[in-house]
Amino acid sequence: MNRPFIFLRDSLSYQSDGSEKKRGGMMYDGSEAVVWCSLPSDQNFKFCSSVMDDMPFAQLYLGVDYDDDYLEVELDVESINKLASLNLLCHEHESNEDGRTQCQYKIRTDDLNAIQTIVSEEALKDEQQTLIKLIDVAVELVRRDPLNKSNEPHLVLLAHSASCSVVASAISSWKEQQLQNQQSPQRVEDLLHQALTVVTFGNICRSVCDGPAYIHISMYDDPWTNALGAHLGNEEGIGGGQNAVYFHAYSPYDEDLQTTASTCSLKSHNAHNLNSCLIQYLCLIMRINGIQSFRALYDSARFVDPTAILDINPKHFAVNYINHGELVIPPRIDDELLPAMIYATGGDQWLWDNDDESHTDIDEVLPDEIEARSHLEESFGYSVFEEIQETCCQRVVKS
């Protein structure tokens, strides 16, 4: 196939009616083939497509569905200690056989994808091979046409939570294969950097190899990314890849207003919720700065202006904007714009454990329609609230 990523973008990607009518959008210019790496039970990509102004996504399923609530596996001591420290194991009983103590635990299948990031990814070899083939094609296109005169779309991989580890493992496997073929490590990383952009949301993986252009998006109050993921506050070393870009903020969800789900579940804190927090934060960053592709977002965040020499420390400015390279992030994005965007896009309908009692508590941290409209129209102009709701709320039906 001569134009594989054009075929992937135009024929294999999910496109809503709005996508087909627009043929591009405020945050999408058609220069990328975006692959959403998700779990079989996730329907996030359709809602996320609407939040990102009907951006087309191709979906790659990772992992498997399980029929039973619990699963029997064998773990070594180190893995058990790590899982136990995160309250991921339900202790059953102990037994002594041949002088050895055996402990039996239960593992919730809902959390098995998180456990795979700690224990092993052997069960996901087929999915990794699919990703490796995509990377092969992207790198080969860069080798043949380094200036992209053919205008082939750039490959972008999106992953949330436990899916990030599968993507990272596939990239590492591809890189190891190239190094075994006696290629220079620097050359391999340069090819990866030019060919591939990886965007993670609430990642829970620190085994990320250097090479691709990484964008990591997470909340400061996300307990899972803080415990297992790559973020700027990681005391053990960031681990998000060389020259990675990090976007952090505080979610509007207080810890004592969290879901009634078990605290050992991946769904224990809505700061880790893609549909009700993370995708809205990415949307705001791109919309505020007029960014139309993920690679442009990465390049803008990494840009350093050699002529920008200030004669006063920015901390003395009356309004201290948080700058990432050329990007501008308003200081009120956490407490005003992010809650308003969650409300406008209908993200509150995707909150975990969204029963009547918890919804009453969430109403205390999310704005009402008048307040949300005020914040968004102040930043983006009149009628923006209706535009966002028309795109996100009228077509999305939660499964």
Side-chain angles (χ1 to χ4, degrees):
M1 187 179 295
N2 295 328
R3 310 296 297 275
F5 289 136
I6 288 182
F7 179 74
L8 176 65
R9 180 196 64 193
D10 296 341
S11 301
L12 299 182
S13 297
Y14 164 78
Q15 300 187 43
S16 66
D17 294 339
S19 302
E20 296 174 354
K21 291 178 181 178
K22 294 175 184 177
R23 307 304 298 173
M26 184 176 295
M27 286 168 282
Y28 181 67
D29 59 8
S31 64
E32 296 175 332
V34 184
V35 179
W36 191 277
C37 305
S38 64
L39 304 176
S41 58
D42 287 347
Q43 296 298 321
N44 295 330
F45 76 105
K46 291 184 179 181
F47 177 73
C48 292
S49 171
S50 65
V51 174
M52 300 298 291
D53 199 26
D54 293 308
M55 180 183 293
F57 291 146
Q59 187 174 28
L60 175 62
Y61 285 125
L62 304 176
V64 293
D65 283 329
Y66 299 94
D67 296 329
D68 299 326
D69 290 335
Y70 292 92
L71 196 69
E72 291 187 6
V73 295
E74 292 185 3
L75 305 175
D76 57 27
V77 175
E78 183 179 356
S79 297
I80 289 175
N81 291 337
K82 183 64 175 178
L83 294 171
S85 68
L86 297 169
N87 295 322
L88 282 170
L89 297 180
C90 302
H91 188 268
E92 284 290 292
H93 65 269
E94 296 183 4
S95 61
N96 291 311
E97 294 182 6
D98 300 328
R100 295 186 304 172
T101 301
Q102 294 184 345
C103 300
Q104 184 173 351
Y105 298 87
K106 283 187 176 181
I107 298 173
R108 295 173 180 83
T109 53
D110 286 343
D111 296 328
L112 189 59
N113 292 287
I115 292 169
Q116 284 173 337
T117 69
I118 304 170
V119 182
S120 174
E121 287 130 10
E122 289 298 321
L124 301 173
K125 287 298 183 181
D126 291 341
E127 290 83 353
Q128 289 184 16
Q129 288 302 316
T130 302
L131 287 169
I132 288 173
K133 290 178 182 178
L134 285 172
I135 298 170
D136 268 332
V137 173
V139 171
E140 184 59 28
L141 288 171
V142 169
R143 283 196 178 106
R144 294 203 316 255
D145 185 11
L147 299 180
N148 196 22
K149 294 180 180 179
S150 61
N151 291 322
E152 187 73 18
H154 177 75
L155 177 62
V156 178
L157 302 178
L158 306 184
H160 172 235
S161 190
S163 302
C164 302
S165 65
V166 185
V167 174
S169 179
I171 297 171
S172 297
S173 298
W174 183 91
K175 185 176 179 181
E176 289 175 5
Q177 292 175 9
Q178 302 304 308
L179 295 177
Q180 290 173 0
N181 294 333
Q182 308 300 318
Q183 293 200 47
S184 163
Q186 187 60 52
R187 173 60 175 164
V188 172
E189 291 178 6
D190 289 344
L191 287 171
L192 274 174
H193 190 79
Q194 189 172 350
L196 179 63
T197 301
V198 179
V199 183
T200 72
F201 301 89
N203 72 84
I204 52 175
C205 175
R206 291 177 183 170
S207 57
V208 174
C209 70
D210 295 336
Y214 291 104
I215 301 173
H216 300 296
I217 301 164
S218 64
M219 297 291 113
Y220 286 119
D221 49 337
D222 182 346
W224 287 99
T225 300
N226 289 336
L228 298 173
H231 58 95
L232 292 177
N234 177 17
E235 296 179 356
E236 300 176 4
I238 297 175
Q242 187 177 20
N243 296 326
V245 171
Y246 298 85
F247 294 108
H248 297 317
Y250 284 100
S251 79
Y253 311 111
D254 296 333
E255 184 175 358
D256 48 346
L257 293 179
Q258 278 315 295
T259 72
T260 57
S262 170
T263 57
C264 63
S265 169
L266 279 174
K267 298 182 178 181
S268 62
H269 200 298
N270 276 301
H272 194 68
N273 193 325
L274 176 65
N275 289 356
S276 297
C277 191
L278 296 168
I279 193 65
Q280 286 86 358
Y281 183 52
L282 172 63
C283 173
L284 282 169
I285 294 173
M286 296 181 71
R287 190 160 190 155
I288 289 170
N289 292 277
I291 302 294
Q292 290 187 291
S293 70
F294 295 109
R295 191 54 182 233
L297 177 66
Y298 176 85
D299 292 339
S300 297
R302 291 286 305 166
F303 178 78
V304 177
D305 186 357
T307 65
I309 301 176
L310 301 176
D311 59 356
I312 186 173
N313 193 313
K315 71 180 182 181
H316 299 301
F317 292 164
V319 177
N320 184 21
Y321 281 79
I322 305 171
N323 293 325
H324 285 264
E326 286 187 312
L327 301 177
V328 174
I329 301 180
R332 58 190 178 87
I333 193 170
D334 302 71
D335 53 1
E336 292 183 2
L337 287 177
L338 180 56
M341 183 63 80
I342 293 171
Y343 180 88
T345 57
D348 55 326
Q349 301 302 314
W350 293 84
L351 291 169
W352 291 324
D353 256 15
N354 190 13
D355 53 26
D356 293 337
E357 182 178 352
S358 63
H359 192 75
T360 301
D361 293 333
I362 293 298
D363 285 342
E364 300 177 9
V365 295
L366 292 182
D368 57 19
E369 179 178 341
I370 296 176
E371 185 179 358
R373 183 191 301 272
S374 173
H375 292 319
L376 292 175
E377 290 186 348
E378 180 183 1
S379 296
F380 303 114
Y382 293 112
S383 77
V384 66
F385 185 85
E386 288 79 7
E387 292 175 8
I388 294 172
Q389 285 214 317
E390 181 181 357
T391 302
C392 299
C393 298
Q394 293 184 5
R395 295 196 308 271
V396 176
V397 177
K398 183 176 179 181
S399 59

